[in-house]
Amino acid sequence: MRLFRFLWLPFLILTLAGCDADSDLQKGHQAYAAGNYQQAMELYLKSAEKGSAEAQYQLGWLYEEGQGVERDYTRAMEWYRKAAEQDYTDAWNQIGWFYQYGQGVEQDYAKAMEWYRKAADRNNSSGQNNIGYLYQEGLGVKQDYARAAEWFRKSAMQDNRGNATAQY
């Protein structure tokens, strides 16, 4: 019994530390929803520094959109890469987007496809939709409407979160 008393303490400390990061993330979401992008930035930064991939992604989004901070595609990519290193599929998709459109990086459809495919293989509906778009337009791949439709269908059929663009 005495051993149990010592084992729960590190678990409690780790749990509370995680809750603090999660609390900052949730407060960041609330600030963002209220249009207070500077406060959202500060809260996401706190959470990101504690290792939250979602917060790192959100920081990338703020830099990409210039919300609460001057638009900076290079900084956005840095944050997306940090989230991507933790297997955050939305970050993989955004990195693909940057390569597709040449935002902060040299335009490269092959790299865009690589990142989209990585996200799509983990059932990321946006990644699947974006692959469909590359096939539809013949960007970096041979134009193939059948393959485009296949990827759009995959994206649209995601459980409870199908991509609305793909459903169109």
Side-chain angles (χ1 to χ4, degrees), residues 72-84:
D72 185 336
Y73 293 130
T74 302
R75 293 290 306 271
M77 181 65 102
E78 289 171 8
W79 284 109
Y80 286 145
R81 286 193 183 279
K82 286 181 183 194

Side-chain angles (χ1 to χ4, degrees), residues 96 99-102 106-116 133-134 138-141:
Y99 279 111
Q100 180 178 342
Y101 292 99
E106 188 173 325
Q107 188 176 42
D108 186 330
Y109 294 123
K111 284 185 180 179
M113 176 65 88
E114 178 184 324
W115 285 100
Y116 289 152
Y133 182 79
L134 292 179
L139 300 173
V141 294

Side-chain angles (χ1 to χ4, degrees), residues 4-39:
F4 176 74
R5 288 182 187 165
F6 293 107
L7 291 178
W8 69 267
L9 186 58
F11 176 76
L12 179 63
I13 291 170
L14 289 173
T15 301
L16 291 175
C19 289
D20 185 40
D22 192 49
S23 173
D24 289 331
L25 178 65
Q26 295 308 315
K27 289 176 185 175
H29 289 327
Q30 291 168 354
Y32 183 88
N36 189 341
Y37 303 126
Q38 185 60 46
Q39 183 182 18

